[in-house]
Amino acid sequence: MDSLGEREDHQELNIGIDGNLNTDKLGAGKSKLSFDSGKDRGGTVLGKEEQLGDKDMAPMAGNSIHRSLSRPQLDLSGAAIQGNFEEKDPTILLPNQSDDISHLALDIGGSLIKLVYFSRHENQPVNDRSRRIIKARLGITNFNRRSFPILGGRLHFVKFETAKINECLDFIYSKQLHRGGMDSRSWQIEGPNTENTVIKATGGGAYKFADLFKERLGISIEKEDEMNCLVSGANFLLKAIRHEAFTHMEGRKEFVQLDSNDLFPYLLVNIGSGVSIIKVDGDGVFERVSGTNVGGGTYWGLGKLLTKCKSFDELLELSQRGDNRTIDMLVGDIYGGMDYSKIGLSASTIASSFGKTISENKEIEDYRPEDISLSLLRMISYNIGQISYLNALRFGLKRIFFGGFFIRGHAYTMDTISFAVHFWSNGQAQAMFLRHEGFLGALGAFLSYEKHGLDDLLVHQFVERFPMGAPYIGGNVHGPPLGDLNEKISWMEKFVLKGTEITAPVPMLPPGTTGLGGFEVPSSRGGSLRPDASKLNVGVLHLVPSLEVFPLLADPKTYEPNTIDLSDPGELEYWFTVLSDHMPDLVDKAVASEGGTDDAKRRGDAFARAFSAHLARLMEEPSAYGKLGLANLLELREECLREFHFHDAYRSIKQRENEASLAVLQDLLMELDSMNEESRLLTLIEGVLAANIFDWGSRACVDLYHKGTIIEIYRMSRDKMQRPWRVDDFDIFKERMFGSAEKKPHKYKRALLFVDNSGADIVLGMLPLARELLRRGTEVVLVANSLPALNDVTAMELPEIVAEAAKHCDILRAAAEAGGLLVDAMINVQDSPRQRSSSAPLMVVENGCGSPCIDLRQVSSELAAAAKAADLIVLEGMGRSLHTNFNEKFKCDALKLAMVKNQRLAAKLINGNIYDCVCRFEAAANTN
């Protein structure tokens, strides 16, 4: 395991202002879909974070961050977004801001220094008239309803050993965090001035080392109350992070979803060197009610004396191989191997920690260090658990949250504490743990700066991502972030054996070797990185303040998007196998999308290794990255592709299929127009189902592509349409549309069509359905991915496809003009928004995600705004209507359409077979 202080553990919280997750937007050509269209436009170039190797602490020239006040304020006059609305996290430019928000906060404890720092990023502005028109049409005037903006950037988490404080100071200096950070370029040219710089810090070390910070860095420390920071950090995490809290009993981790309106009161037990027990009654309302001097420092100190271990993590790892029965006196030792059943004590219960050593004539060298470490860990953990419960009992509290770096995500520690709480409470109280357990105080100190604005964020505004290194180092990014693509690839090649075989656990390099970027490679005395020792399992938290909960969910509190239960080991293994088997084809397509160059092949190999290692890590510990669903797995795959700069792996295939489908669209529309309304509606639904067969994420469908062209397969699929389908609510939907003897026909005001794949799916399936709704006077909003995923169509690509389709159809052309989708209509609509076409508008909005599935707890503000006037939802495709949302109810009518392309999914979800069709119609749920 890694020794504390030998390297830095980083986590990043990306802070942005816009709800659009688009990092790269891919156009589809100017006037027609072509094979060479779709080149990147307006993509963000992520710059490499600079590093200064100079560690002599000599004064550096320049510092533009002059803090005259200990509590800096934001000057919002002239504030404007600097960046592309189409891109992720555009920066808010504050032209009149002279006193910067502080970039640094610390929690300096007796054993560890926890550091939180902020870094900015910049984007280039891009003008998009079409989106502004659609926003005006939807009545969106202010995406960010906050009273002040949040600066774009990342929040990093780092820890150091307090005994090695000079390493912490070197780190702060190397990144110029005391001068506003490396992204504050002007410090390099202006004269040195840190005289009035103030940083926030909490913990005893804020007093002890204040002079050292002044001497080495020229900065002053403003001390923040330790208990206040712990509570502030805990409250923020429990309210803002969906899978922050979890229970851990008998090796099983269960995530707990908390209602932020019913959070208080609770007991917070922070286990650092010592233990503080705090009763929390609200934001800023708390009382330290107890504590104990027997804590993490006790374990480390005694362990160091008794085992000669040189680090906390080494001591923890020893405990995993220990047997405490050689040292602890058990109930069975006293009662001849029998239980003491009268008072409910089993023979294996510890009667006296270290008690067996009294009667044995042995020296300390005669005992195994592993056994000593385990006995010591159990003694201290049981003691903390019991004291915590007694305080909870004292105040009638049922929930106890444990934090602090003593826990380290260590399974045995959590099990021991949980057992103690469960035992003494007879199962009435519950021990819960926090994923960001060690950074409560540092985060609270960071939040104490006024106007950061992080304290009132909501859970749906965070998107957790797990970087390339997460499988190898438990979710922790060690050392300076690897911003350069070549560094990421080299890092991957260094950590993983060459070839296609992925090993898990991953062998580590010999201790003392240096990884890329100048940080220590994590090492393990056992030769492999253990899954449950010193693992925080915290990903990168992207903060997107404009993400919202989909307003048409019938019950957002009980909403669960995933229909596949991956807690079942058999289910997990099956889907991991599916993803693994699909990987060679995916890599081939990704490399081909980049021209098949040697660089693309190298990146493709790195992606395969990274994603395979994620799968191996999750197979070993499914809850390592939070609550796992199939949607999360698919999102993780797309993130891995983007991390190695494959921004649209199926780009050329999508363009080719779009072009082929558009070529036959006119004939299809003529065929549809020759039918009466009822026959046309059935043909349209059949067409959507038939066209949904094209899915490059399905192995069965990939095999079909070798047997015919896209048009041939579409026609074959349509010809084989036979009712009744496996799920067949078409007649109910038809009655809703056209009425019956007993019911009047229903005219929908606005329909949200969640579209799926490019090519025939969108062009020959969903666009004709949209056209029919437009013909009936319904406003139509096409909802598409913000980022590419497999061959799914994106919101950036749709306007071009609609423009091409509109050349063959007056209905689509008038609707696209009314919705602001056609370039030649943009200026008039923009200049005079009230002068709109009499046609029902056709609009396009992005959904806020980049996955084949969709979690409706996190959608873009555009989609949320569009949904407020919608009375029909059409969810199309396996990802959006089967893998997710199949069982969900909505406040409006919902039509779920999909062709099933996976035999296991067909059997489990609809008791059917591959290529079965699903047409499920559900009337608006009664939410009263």
Side-chain angles (χ1 to χ4, degrees), residues 363-545:
E363 299 297 327
I364 190 171
E365 293 81 7
D366 298 325
Y367 293 97
R368 295 198 318 148
E370 294 91 335
D371 301 340
I372 294 173
S373 177
L374 181 59
S375 180
L376 190 60
L377 178 64
R378 294 189 68 169
M379 178 184 75
I380 292 171
S381 298
Y382 276 138
N383 184 62
I384 293 171
Q386 182 178 10
I387 292 174
S388 300
Y389 165 67
L390 291 175
N391 278 279
L393 179 65
R394 176 182 165 201
F395 295 103
L397 303 177
K398 301 296 184 183
R399 290 183 298 199
I400 311 173
F401 294 102
F402 291 86
F405 261 117
F406 168 74
I407 299 171
R408 293 293 213 291
H410 187 248
Y412 199 91
T413 304
M414 293 186 288
D415 268 358
T416 305
I417 291 173
S418 295
F419 179 83
V421 171
H422 186 271
F423 177 84
W424 290 107
S425 70
N426 289 321
Q428 296 302 304
Q430 193 174 37
M432 287 182 278
F433 304 92
L434 305 176
R435 298 179 65 210
H436 295 77
E437 57 191 14
F439 292 100
L440 304 185
L443 182 56
F446 184 79
L447 292 170
S448 69
Y449 289 107
E450 291 187 6
K451 301 301 182 185
H452 271 313
L454 300 181
D455 52 343
D456 60 345
L457 292 167
L458 301 174
V459 62
H460 58 265
Q461 295 168 330
F462 285 89
V463 181
E464 189 165 21
R465 301 285 182 251
F466 292 89
M468 168 202 66
Y472 307 105
I473 45 186
N476 300 323
V477 180
H478 301 288
L482 301 175
D484 180 76
L485 177 62
N486 187 63
E487 284 187 353
K488 289 184 178 182
I489 298 172
S490 298
W491 189 94
M492 180 61 60
E493 293 170 341
K494 198 178 191 78
F495 271 75
V496 184
L497 294 176
K498 290 187 177 181
T500 58
E501 181 181 0
I502 301 295
T503 59
V506 179
M508 294 293 101
L509 297 180
T513 57
T514 302
L516 201 63
F519 55 90
E520 291 296 313
V521 172
S523 61
S524 169
R525 292 179 58 128
S528 64
L529 197 65
R530 302 183 66 89
D532 59 351
S534 193
K535 295 292 192 64
L536 297 181
N537 294 330
V538 176
V540 176
L541 293 173
H542 296 252
L543 170 57
V544 190

Side-chain angles (χ1 to χ4, degrees), residues 232-249:
S232 176
N235 285 346
F236 169 74
L237 291 168
L238 291 170
K239 288 180 179 181
I241 310 300
R242 177 173 290 115
H243 297 145
E244 177 64 26
F246 60 92
T247 60
H248 204 289
M249 281 286 287

Side-chain angles (χ1 to χ4, degrees), residues 401-679:
F401 294 102
F402 291 86
F405 261 117
F406 168 74
I407 299 171
R408 293 293 213 291
H410 187 248
Y412 199 91
T413 304
M414 293 186 288
D415 268 358
T416 305
I417 291 173
S418 295
F419 179 83
V421 171
H422 186 271
F423 177 84
W424 290 107
S425 70
N426 289 321
Q428 296 302 304
Q430 193 174 37
M432 287 182 278
F433 304 92
L434 305 176
R435 298 179 65 210
H436 295 77
E437 57 191 14
F439 292 100
L440 304 185
L443 182 56
F446 184 79
L447 292 170
S448 69
Y449 289 107
E450 291 187 6
K451 301 301 182 185
H452 271 313
L454 300 181
D455 52 343
D456 60 345
L457 292 167
L458 301 174
V459 62
H460 58 265
Q461 295 168 330
F462 285 89
V463 181
E464 189 165 21
R465 301 285 182 251
F466 292 89
M468 168 202 66
Y472 307 105
I473 45 186
N476 300 323
V477 180
H478 301 288
L482 301 175
D484 180 76
L485 177 62
N486 187 63
E487 284 187 353
K488 289 184 178 182
I489 298 172
S490 298
W491 189 94
M492 180 61 60
E493 293 170 341
K494 198 178 191 78
F495 271 75
V496 184
L497 294 176
K498 290 187 177 181
T500 58
E501 181 181 0
I502 301 295
T503 59
V506 179
M508 294 293 101
L509 297 180
T513 57
T514 302
L516 201 63
F519 55 90
E520 291 296 313
V521 172
S523 61
S524 169
R525 292 179 58 128
S528 64
L529 197 65
R530 302 183 66 89
D532 59 351
S534 193
K535 295 292 192 64
L536 297 181
N537 294 330
V538 176
V540 176
L541 293 173
H542 296 252
L543 170 57
V544 190
S546 61
L547 283 183
E548 298 187 28
V549 177
F550 189 59
L552 294 177
L553 289 174
D555 188 354
K557 290 184 178 180
T558 62
Y559 173 76
E560 172 51 54
N562 292 292
T563 56
I564 304 297
D565 183 9
L566 294 186
S567 63
D568 178 352
E571 200 70 40
L572 186 67
E573 184 175 6
Y574 170 80
W575 288 103
F576 278 14
T577 301
V578 168
L579 292 173
S580 297
D581 290 347
H582 181 244
M583 199 170 321
D585 181 76
L586 178 59
V587 171
D588 287 346
K589 296 298 184 295
V591 172
S593 74
E594 300 290 330
T597 63
D598 290 341
D599 172 71
K601 292 176 182 177
R602 187 171 178 234
R603 287 187 282 126
D605 182 55
F607 154 73
R609 292 175 176 179
F611 186 56
S612 295
H614 277 295
L615 294 180
R617 173 83 175 98
L618 290 169
M619 194 66 202
E620 180 184 348
E621 187 184 349
S623 60
Y625 299 168
K627 188 175 181 180
L628 185 64
L630 188 56
N632 307 109
L633 278 179
L634 296 175
E635 181 77 38
L636 178 61
R637 178 180 63 186
E638 301 304 323
E639 284 293 322
C640 282
L641 281 168
R642 288 188 280 271
E643 194 163 17
F644 291 100
H645 289 200
F646 292 109
H647 298 296
D648 193 349
Y650 287 81
R651 179 190 312 167
S652 59
I653 289 174
K654 291 195 295 183
Q655 292 166 357
R656 185 165 62 247
E657 293 183 351
N658 285 339
E659 188 175 58
S661 301
L662 285 164
V664 300
L665 175 62
Q666 188 173 14
D667 291 340
L668 174 62
L669 297 182
M670 291 176 62
E671 176 188 345
L672 290 168
D673 287 344
S674 67
M675 302 177 181
N676 62 47
E677 281 190 326
E678 294 192 11
S679 297

Side-chain angles (χ1 to χ4, degrees), residues 136-188:
R137 167 69 78 171
L138 294 174
I140 304 172
T141 57
N142 182 15
F143 269 77
N144 182 24
R145 301 185 303 275
R146 310 171 63 82
S147 59
F148 51 86
I150 299 177
L151 301 177
R154 298 173 295 275
L155 194 64
H156 307 257
F157 298 83
V158 191
K159 70 179 174 68
F160 298 90
E161 254 185 279
T162 304
K164 300 177 181 179
I165 190 171
N166 284 329
E167 292 185 3
C168 178
L169 295 170
D170 289 345
F171 178 81
I172 293 171
Y173 181 81
S174 71
K175 289 187 173 295
Q176 291 293 297
L177 300 180
H178 59 311
R179 301 177 181 230
M182 292 297 295
D183 49 3
S184 183
R185 303 298 179 193
S186 57
W187 66 264
Q188 299 178 359

